[in-house]
Every structure is written in structure tokens, then in C-alpha cells.
Amino acid sequence: MRPIFAVIIGVVLGGFFIALGEMILKYMIPTLNAPSNLDSSNMQVFVDQIPLIAKIGIVINWGVAGFVGATVTTFIQGRTHYKPMLVTIGILQLLTYMNMMILWGHPLWMWGAATFIYIIVGFISYFLIRKKSV
């Protein structure tokens, strides 16, 4: 039961950090705020107008959120195995893909970054706080 609880808490906190990071980015970079009349016909135009630094900030935000989710999951689980961490980052990665499909038009490099960033930061987090065998 503990690994399931750890995954749930890790996903919730990871999702919270994604939302918090995007709110901060929208405050710092106003061009991230979608206009109220945005529809599917001009979605690509909107995404193309977003500066590169904002897109890089979004990817960094995904990394921070994945790190937080993986760290919390590994810590609650007992720091003995990496499988709950993989489930947590897998769910966060799936939610990121769903978000990119709903708000389509993301460049291909963002899809690639979303594919690798969660796995990389998840394992970094796990190896930093796992219990070392003696």
C-alpha cells in the first residue's frame, strides 16, 4: 500500500509544480497567455509566436516537476526501489503528452525533451536519495 500512496503523492506534487511553474512563466513572459479567441485554426500561429526562451523554460519546468515528483515518491516509498518512481514519472510524462496533444503545435524538439527529461531527472533523483547497500 505504501508504494501506491507514494505514487499518488508524487504525481499530485509533480502536477502542482508543473502548474506553479507555468503560472510563474506566464507572469514573467506575457506572450504565453493565450488570447480568448484562440481556436484550432490559429493555434499554430499562437505557438509560433511564443519565444524560444519560454519554450525552454517550460521544458525546465517539466524537469523540476519530475525531479520533485520522483524525489517525493522515492522518499515515501522507503528509498529501496525505483519502480514507484518510474510509475510516477511515467504518469507525469503521459500527462505532458496529453497536454501537448490538446494544445497542439509544440515543436518536435519539445516532444523529444518530454520523452527524455522525466526519465533522466527521475533516475538522478532516485540515485541521490536511495538507501545505499553496505
Side-chain angles (χ1 to χ4, degrees), residues 21-61:
E22 288 195 10
M23 284 179 9
I24 291 170
L25 281 170
K26 285 181 181 183
Y27 178 75
M28 292 172 53
I29 305 169
T31 56
L32 281 174
N33 294 317
S36 59
N37 61 352
L38 185 67
D39 60 2
S40 62
S41 62
N42 60 1
M43 178 72 73
Q44 188 64 44
V45 174
F46 169 70
V47 172
D48 289 341
Q49 291 175 353
I50 296 173
L52 179 63
I53 192 72
K55 293 175 184 175
I56 292 171
I58 290 170
V59 172
I60 291 170
N61 180 40

Side-chain angles (χ1 to χ4, degrees), residues 10 65-75 85 88-89 121-122 125-126 129:
F67 187 84
V68 168
T71 302
V72 168
T73 300
T74 303
F75 187 75
M85 175 273 303
T88 298
I89 62 173
V121 299
S125 168
Y126 171 73
I129 68 168

Side-chain angles (χ1 to χ4, degrees), residues 2-3 20 24 31 61-62 73-74 90 100 105 124 127:
R2 191 171 184 172
L20 179 67
I24 291 170
T31 56
N61 180 40
W62 294 340
T73 300
T74 303
M100 287 195 294
I124 289 172
F127 286 122

Side-chain angles (χ1 to χ4, degrees), residues 70-87:
T71 302
V72 168
T73 300
T74 303
F75 187 75
I76 292 174
Q77 180 267 340
R79 305 182 309 163
T80 57
H81 210 276
Y82 63 90
K83 287 182 184 177
M85 175 273 303
L86 280 178
V87 173

Side-chain angles (χ1 to χ4, degrees), residues 18 22 55-67 86-101 103 106-123:
I18 288 174
E22 288 195 10
K55 293 175 184 175
I56 292 171
I58 290 170
V59 172
I60 291 170
N61 180 40
W62 294 340
V64 170
F67 187 84
L86 280 178
V87 173
T88 298
I89 62 173
I91 292 171
L92 289 173
Q93 188 173 27
L94 178 66
L95 294 173
T96 300
Y97 288 151
M98 290 171 54
N99 187 28
M100 287 195 294
M101 288 173 61
L103 301 171
H106 289 79
L108 190 59
W109 67 267
M110 286 184 80
W111 285 86
T115 301
F116 294 108
I117 192 92
Y118 286 108
I119 296 168
I120 292 169
V121 299
F123 274 104

